[in-house]
Amino acid sequence: MQGLDYTSGSVNRLLIRTAIPMLLASLVNVTTQLVNVFFMGHTSQTVLYVLSLYIPISFVMIAIVEATQLSVQVAVSRSRAEGSPYFTQLFAHMMGSAGVLAIVMGGLVMLLSPLLSWFYAVPSDVRPLFAFYVAGMMAAGVPAVLAAASGAALRGLGRAQAASWNAVGTALLNILLVYWFVSVIGFDLKGIIYANLISSTLSLLISVLILFVRKELVSVRLAFVQRHLIALRQVGIPVFISYCLIFVSTFFFNKIVSHFGEGVVAGFGVGYRIQTMAILPGIVIGSAIGILINHNLQQAHRPRAYESYRRGLMQSFIIYAVISVVIWIWREPLTALLNADPVSRTEAARYLAIVALSYLTMGPMMTTLLTMEQSGRGYQALLLNAVYFLLIITAGWVLTRVFNQVVYFYSVIASVNAASLFCLIPVLRMFKREYAGQPVPGGTVLEGQEVIDGQSYSTQS
């Protein structure tokens, strides 16, 4: 197996070489999502309303995508030296698990769509469109989950550029397909479903083809091996629960703003979608840090693991200093470009005016959470996520009901984002204790120490 060697050379250079292709792919995906909003935002407020209602539901498939791809990426990174036969077995186990989970969860959401319509008090004339869009996107999510898993396998093997170029190409195809189906044929929401089905299926086929051409996938007799699923349990489960938490939380977010009418819901949906896209660079950097950490777990390389997080966090702060200011300054032209409805456009701009500058700390926190999830601290990351959303929901619900103004909800989001800065210092110290601790001669394990590859390392600062 070939690819980047993460155990030697400049940490900064390796982070950049890993993150930039992934960031490029993410930026193209951002563009894809924004183009979808652009096309839908120039149809009708009803279509934009359905898109906004779908945001929390989308996190069901996103939960599976993230849990699967992070599990695959971690498992492949840690077992890279095992050879192609082992990788083939591992890949088959991961893809099978991902496919079954996507089908089961997607089917469950389809069955529950009438309940979702009731929860949101969707008007009766809109309910058929809402149910159709939910069912179609759940179906399109199955090949999307498998495509994400195969791309993560390429990244875990050190082939981030191949995975990213695949993502870029198929994302551009998605944009063209959405344009064709929506603007030319006039399919509206159906056009997004068809475009996602075609582009994600093609992405899956390309990733698998690359693995075969590079002889990473070979002919072996498949057999169930329990240890292949360890990464799913250690990484995938907490990540999946974290995104399910986002799924539940965004339901309450929409419930809070729905008190103020369809126009506010649609505008909040546009602003929140921009925010969701804005955090992707932080996720990408955290994923790149995770790859470096998992390639440097041996005794001789562990200080590089800590250095990877420290330098990656600095890069995240620099990037989000730019992102937060740019979105805040250009909020009105951006929302005007994406949305033709004056009411929802004004609401989206108001949301970004209050929240955008807080991305300076929210982005690095996302980098930290992704790093924690890929380094065996998924449940700690889950706890931080739970506290974050609980604070926003509780304070946002109380303040909007007391003062009857939605801006209080937006202010709560901005305040909690800013407060996340106080979580970064303890996490930085935690990584330093574990990865940059000094080995204790003789291998004797004392309280506050751990054994790594036969050597005892201090876990105290």
Side-chain angles (χ1 to χ4, degrees):
M1 294 187 179
Q2 299 177 351
L4 290 176
D5 180 7
Y6 293 105
T7 61
S8 63
S10 168
V11 169
N12 269 334
R13 188 176 298 113
L14 286 169
L15 280 171
I16 292 172
R17 290 187 64 184
T18 304
I20 284 183
M22 296 165 63
L23 183 60
L24 177 61
S26 295
L27 289 175
V28 174
N29 287 329
V30 168
T31 304
T32 301
Q33 296 298 322
L34 294 180
V35 167
N36 288 346
V37 174
F38 170 80
F39 287 130
M40 296 300 104
H42 288 74
T43 53
S44 68
Q45 188 182 89
T46 298
V47 169
L48 198 59
Y49 173 64
V50 171
L51 276 178
S52 299
L53 291 181
Y54 179 73
I55 288 177
I57 303 170
S58 68
F59 282 105
V60 172
M61 257 335 148
I62 292 174
I64 302 173
V65 166
E66 294 299 329
T68 301
Q69 70 177 1
L70 289 179
S71 298
V72 171
Q73 188 169 289
V74 169
V76 172
S77 297
R78 292 181 177 178
S79 62
R80 188 175 174 185
E82 298 283 348
S84 295
Y86 180 88
F87 169 77
T88 302
Q89 293 273 7
L90 175 64
F91 184 74
H93 279 76
M94 290 294 190
M95 293 292 280
S97 301
V100 170
L101 185 58
I103 292 171
V104 170
M105 292 300 296
L108 182 62
V109 171
M110 291 180 192
L111 291 176
L112 293 177
S113 61
L115 183 61
L116 301 176
S117 296
W118 168 82
F119 181 81
Y120 281 135
V122 178
S124 57
D125 58 326
V126 181
R127 290 188 179 187
L129 179 63
F130 176 70
F132 173 82
Y133 187 65
V134 169
M137 292 302 288
M138 289 298 107
V142 176
V145 167
L146 298 177
S150 58
L154 286 171
R155 292 195 297 272
L157 292 170
R159 302 188 184 280
Q161 289 186 342
S164 299
W165 283 117
N166 178 21
V168 169
T170 51
L172 292 174
L173 174 64
N174 183 279
I175 293 174
L176 293 175
L177 289 173
V178 170
Y179 169 75
W180 175 259
F181 286 132
V182 175
S183 297
V184 178
I185 301 181
F187 277 169
D188 290 342
L189 290 173
K190 287 191 293 185
I192 295 180
I193 296 172
Y194 297 152
N196 286 355
L197 274 170
I198 294 171
S199 59
S200 58
T201 301
L202 182 60
S203 177
L204 169 61
L205 294 175
I206 292 174
S207 293
V208 173
L209 179 62
I210 293 173
L211 290 171
F212 272 114
V213 170
R214 296 294 184 181
K215 297 182 180 179
E216 310 290 4
L217 286 177
V218 296
S219 178
V220 296
R221 182 178 178 179
L222 298 178
F224 177 75
V225 180
Q226 187 174 0
R227 68 187 179 116
H228 288 164
L229 303 181
I230 290 177
L232 270 177
R233 185 176 71 247
Q234 295 180 342
V235 178
I237 291 178
V239 171
F240 178 77
I241 296 175
S242 293
Y243 277 91
C244 286
L245 180 63
I246 298 174
F247 162 66
V248 173
S249 301
T250 48
F251 261 115
F252 284 100
F253 287 3
N254 272 355
K255 188 67 174 177
I256 291 172
V257 299
S258 65
H259 177 72
F260 301 94
E262 287 188 17
V264 173
V265 173
F268 171 74
V270 173
Y272 197 80
R273 189 177 293 273
I274 293 173
Q275 174 175 305
T276 302
M277 299 302 106
I279 66 177
L280 285 178
I283 293 175
V284 166
I285 297 172
S287 187
I289 296 170
I291 291 175
L292 264 73
I293 287 178
N294 286 305
H295 278 269
N296 287 278
L297 293 179
Q298 290 84 7
Q299 171 186 327
H301 303 301
R302 288 176 71 81
R304 287 176 60 84
Y306 166 69
E307 194 66 13
S308 299
Y309 172 66
R310 189 180 71 84
R311 292 181 181 272
L313 187 63
M314 292 174 59
Q315 293 177 7
S316 185
F317 269 111
I318 293 171
I319 290 173
Y320 276 95
V322 176
I323 289 176
S324 59
V325 172
V326 168
I327 293 179
W328 187 80
I329 292 176
W330 293 91
R331 60 188 182 276
E332 292 186 1
L334 179 59
T335 53
L337 175 66
L338 297 175
N339 187 6
D341 179 65
V343 176
S344 52
R345 181 176 67 220
T346 301
E347 191 62 34
R350 180 164 65 162
Y351 175 80
L352 294 176
I354 297 173
V355 177
L357 291 179
S358 69
Y359 298 162
L360 174 62
T361 52
M362 186 186 70
M365 192 63 211
M366 287 303 304
T367 296
T368 297
L369 291 175
L370 261 291
T371 303
M372 294 173 67
E373 288 169 349
Q374 293 187 70
S375 58
R377 299 169 182 83
Y379 290 101
Q380 292 170 290
L382 174 61
L383 177 61
L384 291 175
N385 266 324
V387 172
Y388 172 83
F389 287 113
L390 184 61
L391 286 173
I392 290 177
I393 292 170
T394 303
W397 188 285
V398 171
L399 290 175
T400 54
R401 292 307 180 265
V402 170
F403 296 101
N404 199 34
Q405 293 186 40
V406 73
V407 293
Y408 284 94
F409 176 55
Y410 302 161
S411 298
V412 168
I413 295 176
S415 300
V416 177
N417 285 346
S420 64
L421 177 65
F422 297 104
C423 297
L424 296 177
I425 296 176
V427 174
L428 186 66
R429 294 183 63 187
M430 177 183 69
F431 277 111
K432 185 176 183 179
R433 285 197 304 268
E434 178 161 350
Y435 295 129
Q438 295 299 316
V440 179
T444 302
V445 184
L446 304 175
E447 182 179 357
Q449 297 174 347
E450 62 176 353
V451 174
I452 303 295
D453 294 337
Q455 291 288 338
S456 178
Y457 277 75
S458 171
T459 59
Q460 303 296 324
S461 58

Coordinates of all heavy atoms in Angstrom, one line a residue, residues 207-250:
S207 N -15.0 5.3 -6.8 CA -14.2 5.0 -5.6 C -13.8 3.5 -5.6 O -12.6 3.2 -5.4 CB -14.9 5.4 -4.3 OG -15.0 6.8 -4.2
V208 N -14.8 2.7 -5.9 CA -14.5 1.2 -5.9 C -13.6 0.9 -7.0 O -12.6 0.1 -6.9 CB -15.8 0.4 -6.0 CG1 -15.5 -1.0 -6.2 CG2 -16.6 0.7 -4.7
L209 N -13.7 1.5 -8.2 CA -12.9 1.3 -9.3 C -11.4 1.7 -9.0 O -10.5 1.0 -9.4 CB -13.4 2.1 -10.5 CG -12.5 2.0 -11.8 CD1 -12.5 0.5 -12.3 CD2 -13.1 2.9 -12.9
I210 N -11.2 2.8 -8.3 CA -9.9 3.3 -8.0 C -9.2 2.3 -7.0 O -8.1 1.9 -7.2 CB -9.9 4.7 -7.3 CG1 -10.4 5.7 -8.3 CG2 -8.6 5.0 -6.7 CD1 -10.6 7.1 -7.7
L211 N -10.0 1.7 -6.1 CA -9.5 0.7 -5.2 C -9.0 -0.5 -5.9 O -8.0 -1.2 -5.5 CB -10.5 0.4 -4.1 CG -10.8 1.5 -3.1 CD1 -12.0 1.2 -2.2 CD2 -9.6 1.8 -2.2
F212 N -9.8 -0.9 -6.9 CA -9.4 -2.1 -7.7 C -8.2 -1.8 -8.5 O -7.3 -2.6 -8.6 CB -10.6 -2.5 -8.6 CG -11.5 -3.5 -7.9 CD1 -12.8 -3.1 -7.6 CD2 -11.1 -4.8 -7.5 CE1 -13.7 -4.0 -7.0 CE2 -12.0 -5.6 -6.9 CZ -13.3 -5.3 -6.6
V213 N -8.2 -0.7 -9.2 CA -7.0 -0.3 -10.1 C -5.8 -0.2 -9.3 O -4.7 -0.7 -9.7 CB -7.3 1.0 -10.8 CG1 -6.1 1.5 -11.5 CG2 -8.5 0.8 -11.8
R214 N -5.8 0.4 -8.1 CA -4.7 0.5 -7.2 C -4.3 -0.8 -6.4 O -3.4 -0.8 -5.6 CB -4.9 1.6 -6.2 CG -5.0 3.0 -6.8 CD -3.7 3.4 -7.5 NE -3.8 4.8 -8.0 CZ -2.8 5.4 -8.7 NH1 -1.7 4.7 -8.9 NH2 -3.0 6.6 -9.2
K215 N -5.1 -1.8 -6.7 CA -4.9 -3.2 -6.1 C -5.0 -3.1 -4.6 O -4.3 -3.9 -3.9 CB -3.5 -3.8 -6.6 CG -3.4 -4.0 -8.1 CD -2.1 -4.6 -8.4 CE -2.1 -4.8 -10.0 NZ -0.8 -5.4 -10.4
E216 N -5.8 -2.2 -4.1 CA -6.1 -2.2 -2.7 C -7.2 -3.3 -2.4 O -7.2 -3.9 -1.3 CB -6.6 -0.8 -2.2 CG -5.8 0.3 -2.6 CD -4.4 0.4 -1.9 OE1 -4.2 -0.6 -1.1 OE2 -3.7 1.3 -2.1
L217 N -8.2 -3.4 -3.3 CA -9.2 -4.5 -3.2 C -8.7 -5.7 -4.0 O -8.4 -5.5 -5.2 CB -10.5 -4.0 -3.7 CG -11.3 -3.0 -2.9 CD1 -12.6 -2.6 -3.6 CD2 -11.6 -3.7 -1.5
V218 N -8.6 -6.8 -3.4 CA -8.2 -8.0 -4.1 C -9.2 -9.1 -3.8 O -10.1 -9.0 -3.0 CB -6.8 -8.5 -3.5 CG1 -5.7 -7.4 -3.9 CG2 -6.8 -8.7 -2.0
S219 N -9.0 -10.2 -4.6 CA -9.9 -11.4 -4.4 C -9.5 -12.2 -3.2 O -8.5 -12.7 -3.1 CB -9.8 -12.2 -5.7 OG -10.7 -13.4 -5.6
V220 N -10.5 -12.2 -2.2 CA -10.3 -13.0 -1.0 C -11.6 -13.6 -0.6 O -12.7 -13.2 -1.1 CB -9.8 -12.1 0.2 CG1 -8.4 -11.5 -0.1 CG2 -10.8 -11.0 0.5
R221 N -11.5 -14.7 0.2 CA -12.7 -15.3 0.7 C -13.2 -14.5 1.9 O -12.5 -14.4 2.9 CB -12.4 -16.8 1.1 CG -13.6 -17.5 1.6 CD -13.3 -18.9 1.9 NE -14.4 -19.6 2.4 CZ -14.4 -20.9 2.8 NH1 -13.3 -21.6 2.7 NH2 -15.5 -21.5 3.3
L222 N -14.4 -14.0 1.8 CA -14.9 -13.1 2.8 C -15.4 -14.0 4.0 O -16.1 -15.0 3.8 CB -16.0 -12.2 2.3 CG -15.6 -11.2 1.2 CD1 -16.9 -10.5 0.8 CD2 -14.6 -10.3 1.7
A223 N -15.1 -13.5 5.2 CA -15.6 -14.2 6.4 C -15.7 -13.1 7.5 O -15.0 -12.2 7.6 CB -14.6 -15.3 6.9
F224 N -16.7 -13.4 8.4 CA -17.0 -12.4 9.4 C -15.9 -12.4 10.5 O -15.5 -13.4 11.0 CB -18.3 -12.7 10.1 CG -18.6 -11.8 11.3 CD1 -19.0 -10.5 11.0 CD2 -18.4 -12.2 12.6 CE1 -19.3 -9.6 12.1 CE2 -18.7 -11.3 13.6 CZ -19.2 -10.0 13.4
V225 N -15.3 -11.2 10.7 CA -14.3 -11.0 11.7 C -14.7 -9.9 12.6 O -14.8 -8.7 12.2 CB -12.9 -10.7 11.1 CG1 -11.9 -10.5 12.2 CG2 -12.5 -11.8 10.1
Q226 N -14.9 -10.2 13.9 CA -15.5 -9.2 14.8 C -14.7 -7.9 14.9 O -15.2 -6.8 15.1 CB -15.8 -9.8 16.1 CG -16.5 -8.9 17.1 CD -16.9 -9.6 18.4 OE1 -16.6 -10.8 18.6 NE2 -17.6 -8.9 19.3
R227 N -13.3 -8.1 14.9 CA -12.5 -7.0 15.2 C -12.5 -5.9 14.1 O -12.1 -4.8 14.2 CB -11.0 -7.4 15.4 CG -10.3 -8.0 14.2 CD -9.0 -8.5 14.6 NE -8.3 -9.1 13.4 CZ -7.1 -8.7 12.9 NH1 -6.5 -7.6 13.5 NH2 -6.5 -9.3 11.9
H228 N -13.1 -6.3 12.9 CA -13.2 -5.4 11.8 C -14.3 -4.3 12.2 O -14.3 -3.2 11.6 CB -13.7 -6.1 10.5 CG -12.6 -6.9 9.9 ND1 -12.9 -7.8 8.9 CD2 -11.3 -6.9 10.0 CE1 -11.8 -8.4 8.5 NE2 -10.8 -7.8 9.2
L229 N -15.1 -4.6 13.1 CA -16.2 -3.7 13.5 C -15.9 -2.9 14.7 O -16.8 -2.2 15.2 CB -17.5 -4.4 13.6 CG -18.0 -5.2 12.4 CD1 -19.3 -5.9 12.7 CD2 -18.1 -4.4 11.2
I230 N -14.7 -3.0 15.3 CA -14.3 -2.3 16.5 C -14.4 -0.8 16.3 O -14.9 -0.1 17.1 CB -12.9 -2.7 16.9 CG1 -12.9 -4.2 17.4 CG2 -12.4 -1.8 18.0 CD1 -11.6 -4.7 17.9
A231 N -13.9 -0.3 15.1 CA -13.9 1.1 14.9 C -15.4 1.6 14.8 O -15.7 2.7 15.2 CB -13.2 1.4 13.6
L232 N -16.3 0.8 14.3 CA -17.7 1.2 14.3 C -18.2 1.4 15.7 O -19.0 2.3 16.0 CB -18.5 0.1 13.6 CG -18.7 0.2 12.1 CD1 -19.5 -0.9 11.5 CD2 -19.4 1.5 11.7
R233 N -17.8 0.5 16.6 CA -18.3 0.6 18.0 C -17.6 1.8 18.7 O -18.2 2.6 19.4 CB -18.0 -0.7 18.7 CG -18.6 -0.7 20.1 CD -18.4 -2.0 20.8 NE -17.0 -2.3 21.2 CZ -16.2 -3.2 20.6 NH1 -16.7 -4.0 19.7 NH2 -15.0 -3.4 21.0
Q234 N -16.3 1.9 18.5 CA -15.5 3.0 19.3 C -15.7 4.4 18.7 O -15.7 5.4 19.4 CB -14.1 2.6 19.3 CG -13.8 1.3 20.1 CD -12.3 1.0 20.1 OE1 -11.5 1.5 19.3 NE2 -11.9 0.1 21.1
V235 N -15.8 4.4 17.3 CA -15.9 5.7 16.7 C -17.3 6.0 16.1 O -17.9 7.0 16.3 CB -14.8 5.8 15.5 CG1 -15.0 7.1 14.8 CG2 -13.4 5.6 16.1
G236 N -17.8 5.0 15.4 CA -19.1 5.2 14.7 C -20.3 5.4 15.6 O -21.1 6.3 15.3
I237 N -20.4 4.6 16.7 CA -21.6 4.8 17.5 C -21.7 6.2 18.2 O -22.7 6.8 18.1 CB -21.6 3.7 18.6 CG1 -21.9 2.3 17.9 CG2 -22.7 4.0 19.7 CD1 -21.9 1.1 18.9
P238 N -20.6 6.7 18.8 CA -20.7 8.0 19.4 C -20.9 9.1 18.3 O -21.7 10.1 18.6 CB -19.4 8.2 20.1 CG -18.5 7.2 19.6 CD -19.3 6.0 19.2
V239 N -20.3 9.0 17.2 CA -20.5 9.9 16.1 C -22.0 9.9 15.6 O -22.7 10.9 15.4 CB -19.6 9.7 14.9 CG1 -20.0 10.5 13.7 CG2 -18.2 10.0 15.3
F240 N -22.5 8.7 15.5 CA -23.9 8.5 15.0 C -24.9 9.1 16.1 O -25.8 9.8 15.7 CB -24.2 7.0 14.9 CG -25.6 6.7 14.5 CD1 -26.1 6.9 13.2 CD2 -26.5 6.2 15.4 CE1 -27.4 6.7 12.9 CE2 -27.9 6.0 15.1 CZ -28.3 6.2 13.8
I241 N -24.6 8.9 17.3 CA -25.5 9.4 18.4 C -25.3 11.0 18.4 O -26.3 11.7 18.6 CB -25.1 8.9 19.8 CG1 -25.3 7.4 19.8 CG2 -25.9 9.6 20.9 CD1 -24.9 6.7 21.1
S242 N -24.1 11.5 18.1 CA -24.0 12.9 18.1 C -24.8 13.6 17.0 O -25.5 14.6 17.2 CB -22.5 13.3 17.8 OG -21.7 12.9 18.9
Y243 N -24.8 13.0 15.8 CA -25.6 13.5 14.7 C -27.1 13.3 14.9 O -28.0 14.1 14.5 CB -25.2 13.0 13.4 CG -24.0 13.7 12.8 CD1 -22.7 13.3 13.1 CD2 -24.2 14.8 12.1 CE1 -21.6 14.0 12.7 CE2 -23.1 15.6 11.6 CZ -21.8 15.1 11.9 OH -20.7 15.9 11.4
C244 N -27.5 12.2 15.6 CA -28.9 12.0 16.0 C -29.3 13.1 17.0 O -30.4 13.5 17.0 CB -29.1 10.6 16.6 SG -29.1 9.3 15.4
L245 N -28.4 13.5 17.8 CA -28.6 14.6 18.7 C -28.9 15.9 18.0 O -29.8 16.7 18.3 CB -27.4 14.8 19.7 CG -27.5 15.9 20.7 CD1 -28.7 15.6 21.7 CD2 -26.2 15.9 21.5
I246 N -28.1 16.1 16.9 CA -28.3 17.3 16.0 C -29.7 17.2 15.4 O -30.4 18.2 15.3 CB -27.2 17.4 15.0 CG1 -25.8 17.6 15.7 CG2 -27.5 18.5 14.0 CD1 -24.6 17.5 14.7
F247 N -30.0 16.0 14.9 CA -31.3 15.7 14.3 C -32.4 16.1 15.3 O -33.4 16.9 14.9 CB -31.4 14.2 14.0 CG -32.8 13.7 13.7 CD1 -33.5 14.1 12.7 CD2 -33.3 12.7 14.6 CE1 -34.8 13.6 12.4 CE2 -34.5 12.2 14.4 CZ -35.3 12.6 13.3
V248 N -32.4 15.7 16.5 CA -33.4 16.0 17.5 C -33.4 17.5 17.8 O -34.4 18.2 17.9 CB -33.2 15.2 18.8 CG1 -34.2 15.7 19.9 CG2 -33.4 13.7 18.5
S249 N -32.2 18.1 17.9 CA -32.1 19.5 18.3 C -32.6 20.4 17.2 O -33.3 21.4 17.5 CB -30.6 19.8 18.6 OG -30.1 19.0 19.6
T250 N -32.3 20.1 16.0 CA -32.8 21.0 14.9 C -34.3 20.9 14.8 O -34.9 21.8 14.3 CB -32.1 20.6 13.6 OG1 -32.1 19.2 13.4 CG2 -30.7 21.1 13.6

